[in-house]
Amino acid sequence: MDPLLVTIVLGACAAGFVQGLSGFAFGMVAMAFWVWSVPPQLAAPLVVFGSLVGQVLAVGSLRRGFAPRRALPFIVGGVVGVPLGAALLPHIDQTIFKACVGALLAVWCPIMLAISELPRIHHGGAVADGVVGIVGGAMGGLGGLTGPAPTLWCALRGWDKDAQRAVFQSFNLVMHALTLTVYATSGLITEEAIGMFVVIAPAMIVPALLGARLYARFSEATFRRVVLILLLISGVVLLASSLPKLLW
């Protein structure tokens, strides 16, 4: 079997499981496998496609906590934020941007893990949620990082795990669909990418469903720790991939 194909399948399986478990983090896990052999111009649409498929497969987990009024401000903000981020893209150094985000996550997440009870933010309402959606969308437009802002914000809102997951999973689903549409209309989805889509989708099905089933057994505290640990790992990966480019 083609070694590249094996790498794609392994990355999709591992990332599908983690996304089914947590509701996000497909790109972080998949790129741990793909970064060594998949060209960046191919990896980008593969990550977005896999993330979208994972969100669709785990959509059943949204039933318990989904509230349209809660999720809508984030989604509207994200739709506004994505083109803003895309417009800023030519003017912001990607390496510095990812290093800054990585440093923030690497410092902030351990602090939140060390605190037995997170601080709660009850003010701001839908306006504050929409601003966070704009930030998440802009970060997605800049570097494909839609997840960190709404995920951290949902944790600080003090919502239960089903409500948190329903918000950032529905947000990411819409953002990934929007991004994939932009890629398609821009001609960034090649025949090779489509061929890989056909491989990724079936490879993810069983792992993603297993992850979603395991999620149902998590307590509130366990889910909080899993989310923060995954965000911490994401920050470390961003730093590790950015610092060498900044130093040399």
Side-chain angles (χ1 to χ4, degrees):
M1 185 179 288
D2 184 354
L4 177 60
L5 197 60
V6 172
T7 302
I8 294 292
V9 170
L10 290 176
C13 288
F17 175 77
V18 172
Q19 187 174 28
L21 181 67
S22 65
F24 70 106
F26 180 91
M28 177 189 74
V29 177
M31 287 306 295
F33 291 83
W34 297 348
V35 71
W36 311 107
S37 55
V38 180
Q41 64 271 21
L42 176 60
L46 296 189
V47 164
V48 176
F49 175 78
S51 299
L52 180 59
V53 171
Q55 299 293 0
V56 172
L57 289 172
V59 75
S61 61
L62 297 178
R63 293 195 305 268
R64 290 183 293 272
F66 183 68
R69 284 190 177 183
R70 184 186 290 133
L72 190 59
F74 290 90
I75 294 171
V76 171
V79 171
V80 172
V82 168
L84 289 177
L88 290 172
L89 187 59
H91 308 290
I92 293 180
D93 187 293
Q94 280 284 296
T95 303
I96 295 176
F97 168 69
K98 291 183 177 180
C100 290
V101 174
L104 177 63
L105 293 175
V107 171
W108 184 246
C109 290
I111 294 173
M112 293 180 74
L113 282 166
I115 299 172
S116 58
E117 187 173 347
L118 293 179
R120 298 289 184 257
I121 299 176
H122 301 293
H123 304 293
V127 174
D129 296 340
V131 171
V132 173
I134 292 174
V135 173
M139 289 175 64
L142 275 169
L145 303 174
T146 59
T151 303
L152 283 173
W153 182 255
C154 287
L156 292 172
R157 275 302 200 195
W159 297 327
D160 63 55
K161 69 185 181 79
D162 291 333
Q164 289 183 46
R165 180 170 176 138
V167 168
F168 62 69
Q169 190 172 328
S170 57
F171 175 82
N172 286 330
L173 192 154
V174 174
M175 294 305 103
H176 294 320
L178 178 61
T179 303
L180 199 64
T181 301
V182 172
Y183 281 173
T185 56
S186 302
L188 297 176
I189 299 180
T190 63
E191 288 186 12
E192 183 181 14
I194 294 173
M196 293 300 179
F197 290 173
V198 175
V199 173
I200 289 171
M204 291 177 59
I205 293 175
V206 173
L209 294 177
L210 286 174
R213 175 165 293 189
L214 183 59
Y215 158 79
R217 301 181 181 182
F218 278 5
S219 66
E220 299 288 343
T222 300
F223 181 70
R224 178 177 75 89
R225 286 195 294 271
V226 167
V227 167
L228 291 174
I229 288 170
L230 286 173
L231 286 171
L232 171 59
I233 294 171
S234 179
V236 171
V237 170
L238 285 171
L239 273 177
S241 62
S242 302
L243 286 181
K245 298 176 183 178
L246 291 174
L247 297 175
W248 287 283

